Amino acid sequence: MRVLLVEDDDALARVLTRGMAEEGHAVDHAGTVAAAAEAHAVNQYDLVVLDLGLPDGDGVALCRDLRATGATTPILMLTARDALSDKVAGLDAGADDYLTKPFAYPELAARVRALLRRPRETVSPVLACGDVRLDPAAHTAWRGAIMIPLTPREFSLLDYLLRRAGQVCTREDLLEHVWDAHYDGLSNVVDVHIANLRRKLEQPGRPDPLQTVRGVGYRLVDER
Ligand code: CA
């Protein structure tokens, strides 16, 4: 597999490059954000190992930029600090896993193997269907360029519908996944929230993305 190693500590980079090469990987080393972005634009990588602190920028921002271009390459983030906020920021930026320095090489090797085993999927941190988008980490939703203010329940409802875009979600599915066991028990609670969500998503000249499938449930579709 072809690996892009982004690490400004040359001694560590040499150790990791040697280790991964011994496992049969082809490793390209970049010591800066700029060099990494250039290498990623030119080559097809199967994995990116990304240090958080780099001389010309920050690994989290680079990770977010790579995801924003639609790259689904697995990203393993290396953080020197055992700070929870760094891990959270890394994962929310689209990293698949992280490792805190110092680490033993066999742990990195095991995580690399695990990441390369996973089927490639959309790893964008933002959920989207047509012009409806939702960022679970930033807790924001948009239709086109317009941000939609949602209540926590509406947010969770839209999140669930987006993850199953194109599929019919029954009222029972929605009650099961969006409401806890203590919902107020109104039989039309789902319909009421769907109606509110639909009203908020409504924009003149744009089709309604939320379809009602009579007698069954609801479906979010890309009507463009
Ligand atoms: Ca560093």
Side-chain angles (χ1 to χ4, degrees):
M1 296 288 182
R2 183 108 181 245
V3 178
L4 175 60
L5 170 65
V6 189
E7 170 58 72
D8 61 323
D9 177 339
D10 284 333
L12 179 60
R14 271 196 300 277
V15 172
L16 299 183
T17 300
R18 196 183 316 129
M20 287 191 280
E22 278 171 12
E23 319 232 348
H25 301 306
V27 183
D28 292 346
H29 172 224
T32 60
V33 169
E38 196 182 329
H40 193 274
V42 175
N43 303 304
Q44 295 283 327
Y45 291 104
D46 301 293
L47 177 76
V48 178
V49 177
L50 179 59
D51 183 32
L52 203 71
L54 294 161
D56 60 338
D58 144 29
V60 171
L62 176 61
C63 183
R64 197 170 276 280
D65 289 349
L66 295 180
R67 291 299 184 232
T69 64
T72 59
T73 320
I75 298 177
L76 172 61
M77 197 160 274
L78 305 179
T79 156
R81 295 153 283 184
D82 193 15
L84 181 63
S85 60
D86 287 346
K87 296 171 187 168
V88 170
L91 294 171
D92 280 344
D96 299 275
D97 199 3
Y98 61 82
L99 202 50
T100 305
K101 293 178 185 175
F103 52 84
Y105 178 75
E107 185 176 7
L108 178 122
R111 286 177 191 262
V112 166
R113 283 193 296 275
L115 285 171
L116 293 175
R117 266 200 309 271
R118 283 190 201 169
R120 286 278 193 104
E121 52 193 42
T122 310
V123 286
S124 165
V126 176
L127 303 169
C129 175
D131 58 3
V132 178
R133 288 176 300 131
L134 177 145
D135 184 338
H139 221 82
T140 46
W142 306 266
R143 178 135 199 225
I146 298 176
M147 195 180 280
I148 313 283
L150 297 174
T151 65
R153 188 75 73 195
E154 289 160 359
F155 190 86
S156 150
L157 189 56
L158 183 59
D159 180 298
Y160 187 83
L161 289 162
L162 274 166
R163 287 175 200 274
R164 283 155 189 79
Q167 302 171 28
V168 180
C169 301
T170 64
R171 287 179 182 77
E172 291 71 31
D173 287 335
L174 295 169
L175 272 179
E176 189 70 33
H177 292 276
V178 180
W179 275 266
D180 60 29
H182 308 292
Y183 79 93
D184 59 13
L186 291 171
S187 59
N188 66 343
V189 66
V190 172
D191 307 81
V192 169
H193 281 82
I194 287 276
N196 292 339
L197 180 60
R198 175 176 278 141
R199 201 171 51 244
K200 289 186 179 180
L201 290 174
E202 206 169 70
Q203 280 176 7
R206 288 180 192 241
D208 184 353
L210 199 47
Q211 290 182 342
T212 302
V213 182
R214 283 185 78 86
V216 185
Y218 300 96
R219 173 166 58 199
L220 196 65
V221 290
D222 180 2
E223 285 283 32
R224 291 176 306 169

